[in-house]
Amino acid sequence: MRLLALSGVTLLASLAFAGPLPQAVGIPGKPAQDQCTACHQALDEPRLQQPALQAAEDIHHRQGITCAGCHGGDPTSEDPEVAMDPKKGFVGKIPPQKVPEVCGSCHSDAAFMLRYAPNIPTDQLAQYKTSKHGLALAKGDGRVATCASCHGAHGVLPPSDARSPVYPSRIVETCARCHGDAALMKQYGIAGTEIEEYKQSVHYQALTVKNDLSAPTCNDCHGSHGATPPGVSSVSNVCGTCHLTQREAFDLSPHKDAFAAMEQPACEACHSNHKVLPPQDQWIGVGEGQVCGSCHAAGDKGAEVAQALFQALTGTVERMERVRQRVEQAERRGMLMDEAAVKLEEAHQALVLARNEVHTVNPQRVGAKTDEAQAVLAKAEKDAEAAEAELRFRHNGLKVSLVVILLAVVALGLKIREIERRS
């Protein structure tokens, strides 16, 4: 038996580099027809029956790839001894160390993949071999993730299918199978808290609550097949993939060279890595709970700059809130305040740009944007004052009108009484 198993593995290794046997591949786009699923569906043992039941949904099976595409053997034979003959390359359970090569036998073959999915890159295996998972697997660690760990072994769905374990909103749970296991991760020197921290982040909220599939999940920062934690020098590059304007602003700041000199990660220093919370103006400063205090102390130049940035932003926010309340109050009292609302939005946009300029750590650049916001707020404030003045005028006019009407009613009543006395 041992000899048969070894010969099967040897044949499988050979099969992995040669691609699937001709009889294992059907017409692209047409579901595979083989005896493997027919026989296994009739079995009572769930372990052997389930793969056959899942075949109907499997993207490979739907594209004409039979079970023999991975397991070898003869998918046309009704005789189990022939179908699962190790001499024909059959291997029942594929060892984890062989899984990447088996998948790569097709997925690394550009000519073969053109027949099925020309849009899928064919360098996944090469990337995997450079990943933390692939490097550990090469050293004989059979616990690390392989292709089947993330995509599944049977019933494999395309990543665009919302049921797929690699669909954007489900990736974190897929990674959590290993990375949420603190005891397992401890053996690799990983805290194991990364998943729970990520679930508190603004990225996870955007992905799962707002259903924003462009929001980053694990593989967007760490890579998919070439999964590797970003190093100190590459963190800002990873964040800058999405936060381009912030990265460009950071590159203008004195922090860029300072962080590089200290060999400290850039973005992560203020925003954290997995537990990325919505940034607040109140973070700026050297007081308790403020991020600048990690490197600067009260009285130094950095603290002075932080205070200037903080005042510029919070001063603008406070005025914007006051003006917004006046505009909304006037609107509730019946005034048309569309132009003021547009000015408030313009001021908000200028404030957003000012917050982006915070990454330059340049008070002049931040001040230029907050000054723009303040100037527009001044115009909106005038609109609010004009509306309030108009409301006062209308209110006073209404009171005068009521007095006149009241006097007219009284006069009319007196006139009627006089006429009645005469008659």
Side-chain angles (χ1 to χ4, degrees):
M1 287 300 290
R2 185 179 179 187
L3 182 61
L4 287 175
L6 287 173
S7 73
V9 171
T10 304
L11 286 168
L12 179 61
S14 173
L15 173 68
F17 291 106
L21 297 171
Q23 66 268 27
V25 179
I27 300 173
K30 206 173 173 183
Q33 299 294 328
D34 61 29
Q35 287 300 316
C36 308
T37 54
C39 292
H40 276 258
Q41 285 178 3
L43 297 176
D44 294 330
E45 188 174 348
R47 180 178 64 86
L48 300 175
Q49 184 192 49
Q50 280 301 316
L53 295 177
Q54 294 173 335
E57 293 277 7
D58 188 282
I59 183 63
H60 303 116
H61 198 269
R62 286 161 50 194
Q63 288 291 328
I65 309 295
T66 69
C67 305
C70 298
H71 291 279
D74 184 353
T76 63
S77 176
E78 297 181 11
D79 184 346
E81 296 293 332
V82 176
M84 296 185 287
D85 186 351
K87 293 178 181 176
K88 294 187 177 184
F90 175 77
V91 172
K93 185 175 181 179
I94 301 172
Q97 287 81 359
K98 292 296 179 187
V99 169
E101 297 292 347
V102 171
C103 298
S105 67
C106 292
H107 283 270
S108 295
D109 187 335
F112 182 83
M113 291 303 296
L114 279 175
R115 299 170 57 193
Y116 298 91
N119 59 321
I120 296 179
T122 53
D123 62 345
Q124 296 103 324
L125 178 59
Q127 288 191 34
Y128 177 79
K129 288 181 177 179
T130 67
S131 72
K132 288 288 186 181
H133 299 141
L135 292 172
L137 187 74
K139 293 178 180 176
D141 187 346
R143 299 171 301 176
V144 296
T146 66
C147 317
S149 308
C150 302
H151 293 274
H154 303 99
V156 177
L157 299 171
S160 58
D161 192 314
R163 299 170 297 168
S164 168
V166 293
Y167 188 72
S169 60
R170 300 190 64 191
I171 282 179
V172 65
E173 297 301 338
T174 299
C175 298
R177 292 176 200 159
C178 297
H179 287 269
D181 185 338
L184 175 62
M185 289 298 102
K186 187 178 180 181
Q187 300 176 44
Y188 294 94
I190 300 173
T193 57
E194 295 80 8
I195 297 294
E196 290 308 313
E197 290 175 357
Y198 171 75
K199 287 185 175 179
Q200 299 176 53
S201 74
V202 66
H203 296 145
Y204 182 73
Q205 291 297 310
L207 183 66
T208 58
V209 178
K210 298 180 180 177
N211 200 30
D212 180 359
L213 298 182
S214 67
T217 184
C218 312
N219 65 316
D220 292 298
C221 298
H222 295 275
S224 299
H225 303 96
T228 299
V232 167
S233 61
S234 59
V235 168
S236 60
N237 291 338
V238 172
C239 300
T241 304
C242 297
H243 298 282
L244 182 60
T245 57
Q246 287 85 351
R247 181 193 169 186
E248 290 176 346
F250 177 80
D251 286 346
L252 299 173
S253 78
H255 283 159
K256 181 178 174 63
D257 292 338
F259 278 100
M262 294 188 297
E263 297 185 349
Q264 292 292 319
C267 312
E268 182 182 342
C270 300
H271 296 276
S272 184
N273 48 5
H274 299 101
K275 188 179 176 181
V276 179
L277 300 176
Q280 306 291 325
D281 296 335
Q282 287 69 23
W283 290 3
I284 303 171
V286 296
E288 184 177 356
Q290 294 179 305
V291 296
C292 308
S294 301
C295 299
H296 299 283
D300 69 16
K301 181 62 178 175
E304 293 176 5
V305 171
Q307 183 65 15
L309 301 180
F310 175 79
Q311 289 179 342
L313 293 176
T314 54
T316 304
V317 170
E318 289 169 2
R319 185 177 187 184
M320 184 179 296
E321 185 56 29
R322 288 197 303 272
V323 176
R324 187 185 304 281
Q325 288 180 5
R326 292 178 69 177
V327 169
E328 290 177 350
Q329 186 176 22
E331 194 168 33
R332 285 196 297 272
R333 295 175 67 184
M335 297 301 293
L336 186 61
M337 301 300 294
D338 289 355
E339 291 187 9
V342 170
K343 293 184 179 77
L344 279 171
E345 182 56 30
E346 289 178 6
H348 174 71
Q349 292 300 321
L351 178 62
V352 170
L353 294 175
R355 285 170 171 153
N356 184 60
E357 292 292 350
V358 167
H359 296 87
T360 65
V361 203
N362 185 325
Q364 286 71 39
R365 291 180 69 101
V366 175
K369 293 302 176 185
T370 54
D371 286 348
E372 285 182 22
Q374 293 276 4
V376 180
L377 285 174
K379 294 178 182 178
E381 201 162 29
K382 283 188 177 179
D383 290 346
E385 289 173 356
E388 290 164 353
E390 176 65 18
L391 283 168
R392 285 194 297 273
F393 175 77
R394 292 181 185 182
H395 184 69
N396 292 334
L398 178 62
K399 287 194 289 188
V400 170
S401 299
L402 288 174
V403 170
V404 170
I405 292 172
L406 180 61
L407 291 175
V409 170
V410 171
L412 181 61
L414 293 174
K415 187 65 178 178
I416 293 173
R417 183 177 294 180
E418 181 182 351
I419 294 172
E420 288 176 344
R421 280 201 304 269
R422 288 178 181 174
S423 61

